[in-house]
């Protein structure tokens, strides 16, 4: 049995489905009963729990071979982000100890080795530190920037032909990875446990610049997409105008500033693992989900 948190999200859903397809028993932890039906149909056991509920988390982990743990990103309007993160991480750590879980994989981020200057990635530095102090064998999976993050606001990009960029310069390539690759590699690492503390840093098959992201969208849509560069500082009022709290807006701007200045880097660059899913595949799927491209089999010549 493997336990998977975040099964309704991008990476957790891939972890759970991959393990099920491999014939493994899977127990997914969800907060919402409305999302449980498909998982039961696919053969997973469902536990409804808040990630701050130590006793329920511990019971879900009893007898498991391993668990995939992820700290939920902050809600846009939230405040007290670090305090809320510590509450979840502490509950996870206590549940791991009480259950006797033999190993877990923690989803983290490139740059989480740094305590400051990385925006929301600071929550993952806290998670690595606190969960690592419990003594249970752990694999830290530090992911590069998700390709899917370029899908935020994609409908507006399609409508306007303009793609905002806060991490420039627009021609500098950065590390990106598809969440599908993150989930599949996490599932593999769960089945290959370590005896101590292992760090796996993950990126995609190649690096991409914001201009190349825009060019990929333009090619898929068969019309121009222009990059509009902004400074990370300009992001704060824009996000607050969209309903983000000042705290979350500043954390996201600090993250983009860290990418902008090259601070979000791998700790062990010569040992980085590369995924296989391309930006064409990810953006093509996002555009199809918006109805901006025909679905496969409907005569499209765009990349999948």
């Amino acid at each position: 049995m493997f336990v998977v948190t975040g099964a309704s999200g991008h990476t957790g859903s891939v972890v759970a489905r991959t393990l099920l397809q491999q014939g493994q028993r899977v127990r997914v932890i969800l907060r919402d009963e409305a999302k449980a039906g498909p998982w039961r149909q696919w053969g997973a056991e469902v536990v409804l729990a808040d990630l701050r509920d130590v006793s329920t988390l511990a019971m879900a982990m009893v007898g498991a071979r391993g668990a995939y743990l992820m700290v939920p990103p902050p809600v846009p309007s939230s405040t007290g982000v670090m305090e809320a993160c510590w509450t979840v991480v502490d509950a996870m750590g206590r549940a791991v100890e009480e259950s006797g879980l033999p190993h877990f994989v923690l989803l983290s981020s490139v740059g989480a080795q740094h305590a400051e200057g990385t925006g929301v990635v600071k929550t993952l530095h806290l998670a690595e530190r606190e969960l690592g102090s419990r003594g249970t064998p752990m694999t830290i999976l530090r992911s590069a920037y998700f390709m899917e993050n370029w899908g935020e606001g994609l409908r507006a990009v399609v409508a306007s032909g303009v793609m905002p960029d806060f991490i420039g310069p627009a021609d500098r390539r950065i590390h990106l990875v598809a969440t599908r690759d993150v989930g599949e590699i996490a599932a593999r690492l769960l089945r290959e446990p370590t005896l101590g503390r292992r760090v796996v840093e993950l990126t995609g098959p190649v690096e991409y610049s914001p201009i190349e992201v825009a060019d990929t969208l333009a090619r898929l849509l068969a019309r121009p997409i222009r990059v509009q560069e902004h400074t990370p500082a300009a992001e704060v009022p824009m996000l607050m105008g969209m309903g983000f709290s000042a705290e979350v807006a500043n954390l996201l701007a600090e993250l983009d500033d860290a990418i902008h200045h090259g601070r979000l880097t791998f700790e062990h660059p010569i040992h980085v693992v590369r995924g296989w899913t391309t930006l064409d595949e990810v953006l093509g799927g996002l555009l199809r989900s918006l109805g901006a491209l025909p679905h496969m089999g409907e005569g499209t010549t765009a990349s999948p």
Side-chain angles (χ1 to χ4, degrees):
M1 171 72 74
F2 292 97
V3 174
V4 178
T5 64
S8 58
H10 287 298
T11 63
S13 61
V14 176
V15 175
R17 288 199 307 269
T18 300
L19 290 169
L20 287 168
Q21 291 165 1
Q22 294 171 347
Q24 303 298 315
R25 294 174 59 211
V26 175
R27 182 178 291 150
V28 297
I29 297 178
L30 302 173
R31 293 185 61 181
D32 188 354
E33 170 64 33
K35 298 178 180 179
W39 286 109
R40 293 191 178 106
Q41 292 175 3
W42 296 330
E45 181 182 337
V46 175
V47 174
L48 297 177
D50 187 296
L51 292 181
R52 297 167 295 184
D53 183 345
V54 177
S55 60
T56 304
L57 285 180
M59 285 189 290
M61 293 177 185
V62 170
R65 288 176 56 191
Y68 177 71
L69 302 182
M70 60 166 295
V71 179
V75 175
S77 60
S78 62
T79 58
V81 171
M82 296 304 294
E83 294 83 355
C85 171
W86 188 89
T87 300
V88 169
V89 168
D90 180 64
M92 286 180 173
R94 291 164 59 191
V96 166
E97 287 181 324
E98 292 179 15
S99 66
L101 187 75
H103 171 251
F104 63 89
V105 172
L106 171 68
L107 177 62
S108 188
S109 168
V110 171
Q113 68 270 25
H114 303 302
E116 297 293 337
T118 57
V120 290
V121 173
K122 289 186 289 190
T123 62
L124 300 174
H125 175 83
L126 171 64
E128 288 189 13
R129 185 190 71 205
E130 293 301 316
L131 290 172
S133 69
R134 306 283 175 160
T136 299
M138 66 185 294
T139 297
I140 298 168
L141 180 56
R142 290 185 185 152
S143 166
Y145 194 79
F146 290 162
M147 292 180 185
E148 285 80 359
N149 289 343
W150 290 101
E152 297 174 8
L154 189 56
R155 192 179 300 276
V157 173
V158 171
S160 67
V162 178
M163 188 189 81
D165 168 38
F166 297 95
I167 63 175
D171 61 349
R172 186 179 67 192
R173 290 178 170 174
I174 63 172
H175 291 285
L176 302 175
V177 68
T179 55
R180 181 171 70 188
D181 295 356
V182 177
E184 291 186 8
I185 288 175
R188 188 193 77 197
L189 294 171
L190 277 172
R191 298 187 65 185
E192 300 172 357
T194 183
L195 296 177
R197 179 182 184 273
R198 171 175 60 183
V199 175
V200 176
E201 296 179 305
L202 172 65
T203 188
V206 297
E207 286 67 60
Y208 299 91
S209 70
I211 287 177
E212 289 172 317
V213 174
D215 288 346
T216 301
L217 287 171
R219 177 162 38 80
L220 291 168
L221 293 165
R223 57 188 178 83
I225 299 292
R226 176 173 61 87
V227 176
Q228 185 177 61
E229 289 191 65
H230 301 273
T231 64
E235 190 173 4
V236 175
M238 293 178 68
L239 289 174
M240 291 180 67
M242 297 165 57
F244 285 68
S245 70
E247 181 179 356
V248 174
N250 277 284
L251 285 171
L252 291 173
E254 185 179 275
L255 169 63
D256 286 342
D257 186 68
I259 298 172
H260 178 84
H261 288 97
R263 292 196 301 271
L264 222 65
T265 56
F266 294 110
E267 186 176 16
H268 310 288
I270 64 173
H271 298 299
V272 170
V273 175
R274 286 194 177 270
W276 48 89
T277 303
T278 66
L279 188 65
D280 280 65
E281 293 176 272
V282 171
L283 293 182
L286 292 172
L287 289 170
R288 280 190 288 275
S289 70
L290 293 178
L293 289 181
H295 284 270
M296 299 307 295
E298 295 180 8
T300 179
T301 57
S303 299

